[in-house]
Amino acid sequence: KAIAYLFPSGLFDKRARPMMKHPTEIFPEQRKIQWGEDGRPLHFLFYTGKQSYYSLMHETYEKFLNAQKHQDQLIAQGLPHQKEKKNLVGSRWLTKIELEEMLLEKLSDDDYSRFILLLQKLMTLPCGDTEEKYVQKFTREVPVQLQKVVIEPLKYDERGVAFSTGEGARKTANATAVVYDNGTGKITVNGIDILHYFPVLQDREQLLFPFQFLDRVGKHDMVCTVSGGGRSAQAGAIRLASAKALRSFVTEREVEFMRQAGLLTLDPRVKERKKPGQEGARRKFTWKKR
Amino acid sequence: LRRLTQVRWSRYNPSFLEPEVNKELYQKPQEQLSEEEKERMELKAVRPIKAAPSSVSSSVFSDPMISKFTNMMMKGGNKVLARSLMAQTLETLKRKQLEKYHKAPEDEKEAIECNPYVIFHQALKNCQPIIGLSSITKGGKTYQVPVPLTDNRKRFLAMKWLITECRENKNRRTMLPEKLSQELLQAFNNEGPIIKKKHVLHKMAEANRAYAHFRWW
């Protein structure tokens, strides 16, 4: 006890214990033995090779037939009620890997797509509660996180004019834009007027796109700085920057409309890398017969 | 369901939706929307949306058909040249129509169409074939089987015929915009080599009608 007091060691501390995952996370589930003591298989579909997949298809198809019978009865009685649309929004189907984990069997792409098509067909029919619960086992929630962008309030400079800044990028071009209120529609890029900086009509159209969309063409002044990229990339970067800056001037509904028009999304398309054994990203070397 | 191993892939996640640039759709009030449109609006409110491409804008002057045609005319990625050629074509169209308009007597003035966009759309529509031919090999022999075409395919064929016609059958001295405007006017009036080509295709399809049952899709 004296030694433990005089030379304290952290080896026995609770925080020094090894942090290990639960064994179920490390070792994947294995299939239990499929046949009994006499050698006869336990499942009736064992000799198909993919017993759990085929039994799943069997069950789903049974439910589908029941739903069809139910629908026929409804039609025979009177007006069939309309199926309410759900699952549009927050859920997605199981991926192939998740389905494989569930069934503990390898699946082919074709099998997986057949199963998903069958589930989709089942969804179109009016089905009761039990069938809905069955289908929900094969759906996963998609977290909906879209409206989390914070719109900055307007700032005021020395003259008392409201302005706001925005940043944008496209391919390798980076741009920052400062949009001033009570303007005449003058746009300056890197100290040069847009008519001289962008001689091509398409680029100027892209710069004016956000303003034209919001019907504010002659009402704002803009000063931007841009670097990197080519002519079209710089135009796209400034377009994104000005759209982001205009969010502070505009109602939330119009911001939503801008987003649906594709003005506020960063374009993820970049130059694809060149692969070894090929001349470019996609082009292969000339094929020579001998 | 999309094929699981993609050959052509995109940098966007498959859950991204296409952007809608047309301003008027956003200014329509809620009551006038049909059921399908309401569903689509709800879906759009939740899903992320792709960025608008750089050839598209919400102004009156950008037309999807015209941009498609410009892209098809483009050679080696030279969009500047293709766009200027397109602008010159529309200008020459307008000039020709205005000339005709000023020369015509009063009662025919209303019948002459001056808007080059309208002429372009109508000419394209007149050039589109209704039925196409597809080669199907059966029993060693290849037959030309009449087959229905999708809208996209029809538009593509019409545009391709226009462009090849203008590039090949012109004099060395004539400029492409001139030749294109000439062809467009002819197609607008349902005459000219492209309409003839379309009729020839229709006749071939009618002649091979006996093999129509070879189609399995």
Side-chain angles (χ1 to χ4, degrees):
Chain A
K1 261 193 184 172
I3 300 172
Y5 175 76
L6 288 169
F7 304 100
S9 102
L11 206 60
F12 304 101
D13 197 13
K14 259 199 180 166
R15 286 174 293 175
R17 286 185 193 165
M19 297 207 291
M20 297 192 292
K21 291 189 197 168
H22 198 269
T24 45
E25 286 173 47
I26 305 176
F27 299 107
E29 280 178 56
Q30 279 174 344
R31 299 176 75 177
K32 306 183 193 94
I33 298 181
Q34 314 280 343
W35 49 91
E37 277 179 0
D38 50 351
R40 280 189 78 208
L42 295 166
H43 200 285
F44 73 105
L45 287 173
F46 174 78
Y47 287 114
T48 56
K50 308 176 229 179
Q51 61 170 44
S52 22
Y53 169 70
Y54 282 116
S55 67
L56 183 72
M57 288 290 279
H58 203 66
E59 272 177 47
T60 324
Y61 195 65
E62 208 184 304
K63 299 229 185 292
F64 179 68
L65 287 174
N66 288 341
Q68 272 188 335
K69 236 200 287 187
H70 182 57
Q71 197 192 35
D72 289 338
Q73 279 171 2
L74 280 178
I75 293 174
Q77 279 170 11
L79 295 162
H81 72 277
Q82 286 291 324
K83 181 93 194 298
E84 292 122 27
K85 301 272 174 171
K86 356 143 192 147
N87 283 344
L88 248 189
V89 161
S91 60
R92 60 167 176 85
W93 294 117
L94 224 52
T95 54
K96 183 171 165 238
I97 303 167
E98 284 170 358
L99 190 61
E100 276 182 358
E101 275 170 40
M102 211 165 111
L103 299 176
L104 300 171
E105 253 178 15
K106 293 270 178 189
L107 290 177
S108 81
D109 290 352
D110 203 33
D111 292 336
Y112 171 70
S113 23
R114 275 193 82 174
F115 178 59
I116 298 290
L117 283 170
L118 187 59
L119 278 178
Q120 281 169 352
K121 266 173 84 172
L122 182 56
M123 285 289 292
T124 54
L125 297 174
C127 41
D129 272 327
T130 42
E131 276 145 47
E132 274 186 40
K133 278 186 200 158
Y134 181 77
V135 170
Q136 266 176 21
K137 272 197 272 174
F138 301 107
T139 52
R140 290 279 179 271
E141 289 283 317
V142 170
V144 176
Q145 286 174 356
L146 286 173
Q147 276 98 23
K148 292 220 174 156
V149 190
V150 179
I151 304 176
E152 286 177 11
L154 288 173
K155 289 172 256 186
Y156 292 86
D157 69 351
E158 307 110 14
R159 291 174 294 158
V161 180
F163 73 98
S164 83
T165 35
E167 279 172 7
R170 171 93 212 270
K171 283 192 193 177
T172 22
N174 287 305
T176 44
V178 185
V179 177
Y180 294 95
D181 209 355
N182 296 341
T184 46
K186 220 168 60 157
I187 307 180
T188 316
V189 181
N190 285 355
I192 308 171
D193 191 39
I194 50 162
L195 214 56
H196 296 287
Y197 197 83
F198 289 121
V200 182
L201 176 66
Q202 181 184 307
D203 303 333
R204 275 175 274 146
E205 229 179 25
Q206 287 297 292
L207 289 200
L208 287 168
F209 185 4
F211 298 100
Q212 207 270 337
F213 187 75
L214 299 166
D215 290 325
R216 288 162 176 248
V217 179
K219 298 182 193 164
H220 293 281
D221 260 344
M222 188 157 78
V223 177
C224 1
T225 42
V226 68
S227 63
R231 142 202 136 222
S232 194
Q234 285 189 341
I238 303 178
R239 181 185 93 183
L240 183 60
S242 57
K244 283 192 179 168
L246 279 171
R247 277 184 308 194
S248 335
F249 286 95
V250 156
T251 54
E252 265 190 37
R253 200 161 164 254
E254 297 205 279
V255 169
E256 179 58 29
F257 288 155
M258 272 216 287
R259 186 191 75 95
Q260 288 189 8
L263 280 169
L264 295 173
T265 336
L266 181 68
D267 209 327
R269 302 179 289 179
V270 283
K271 194 164 168 171
E272 205 176 310
R273 79 159 264 212
K274 176 197 169 327
K275 282 106 193 171
Q278 291 178 1
E279 193 170 322
R282 296 282 170 114
R283 174 166 160 77
K284 322 282 183 280
F285 287 122
T286 322
W287 181 72
K288 294 199 183 103
K289 202 161 177 181
R290 46 188 74 87
Chain B
L1 205 70
R2 283 165 235 123
R3 257 185 37 188
L4 288 155
T5 37
Q6 306 278 352
V7 176
R8 264 188 285 171
W9 46 273
S10 87
R11 298 273 312 182
Y12 290 107
N13 198 335
S15 60
F16 274 66
L17 302 171
E18 296 294 325
E20 180 58 65
V21 179
N22 202 354
K23 256 199 290 188
E24 285 150 42
L25 286 175
Y26 294 117
Q27 280 155 6
K28 248 185 170 178
Q30 271 280 316
E31 302 90 34
Q32 288 178 8
L33 299 174
S34 68
E35 288 261 346
E36 284 178 9
E37 284 178 8
K38 278 191 187 144
E39 275 173 35
R40 252 185 280 156
M41 292 283 282
E42 274 170 48
L43 190 63
K44 279 202 153 180
V46 203
R47 292 272 193 89
I49 300 192
K50 299 185 190 178
S54 44
S55 46
V56 152
S57 102
S58 69
S59 74
V60 220
F61 300 109
S62 71
D63 187 25
M65 208 87 96
I66 300 266
S67 0
K68 203 67 172 200
F69 195 76
T70 344
N71 286 342
M72 284 183 70
M73 270 210 299
M74 174 165 62
K75 269 190 182 177
N78 199 345
K79 183 82 136 226
V80 178
L81 185 62
R83 219 169 138 144
S84 69
L85 284 175
M86 195 69 216
Q88 282 169 34
T89 321
L90 294 170
E91 200 193 315
T92 22
L93 259 183
K94 182 91 188 189
R95 275 184 202 273
K96 285 189 187 170
Q97 289 298 88
L98 276 180
E99 245 189 78
K100 257 203 272 184
Y101 183 81
H102 288 304
K103 282 191 197 159
E106 280 298 323
D107 38 334
E108 279 173 44
K109 276 199 174 175
E110 282 174 8
I112 298 179
E113 184 56 61
C114 275
N115 190 351
Y117 291 95
V118 168
I119 299 183
F120 184 81
H121 285 261
Q122 189 57 43
L124 260 189
K125 234 200 237 179
N126 290 350
C127 287
Q128 283 178 11
I130 302 175
I131 195 171
L133 290 173
S134 140
S135 13
I136 295 183
T137 330
K138 193 152 175 168
K141 278 203 226 171
T142 348
Y143 301 100
Q144 293 290 322
V145 174
V147 131
L149 299 171
T150 53
D151 272 336
N152 280 340
R153 181 79 187 153
K154 288 182 198 167
R155 259 176 268 146
F156 171 77
L157 278 174
M159 291 200 241
K160 179 114 187 198
W161 287 343
L162 260 177
I163 295 175
T164 37
E165 170 65 41
C166 293
R167 281 186 183 157
E168 279 157 34
N169 292 5
K170 69 176 173 83
N171 225 341
R172 255 204 89 222
R173 298 285 300 272
T174 51
M175 297 286 121
L176 186 95
E178 247 185 69
K179 173 78 178 168
L180 230 195
S181 51
Q182 204 182 27
E183 292 297 332
L184 281 171
L185 277 173
Q186 282 185 325
F188 181 67
N189 299 328
N190 268 322
E191 44 191 43
I194 304 164
I195 301 286
K196 216 168 130 184
K197 193 162 172 173
K198 175 181 95 152
H199 287 320
V200 158
L201 183 65
H202 284 175
K203 279 185 199 152
M204 282 274 286
E206 188 60 38
N208 285 8
R209 209 178 141 144
Y211 303 129
H213 65 283
F214 281 169
R215 181 174 63 103
W216 63 84
W217 62 87

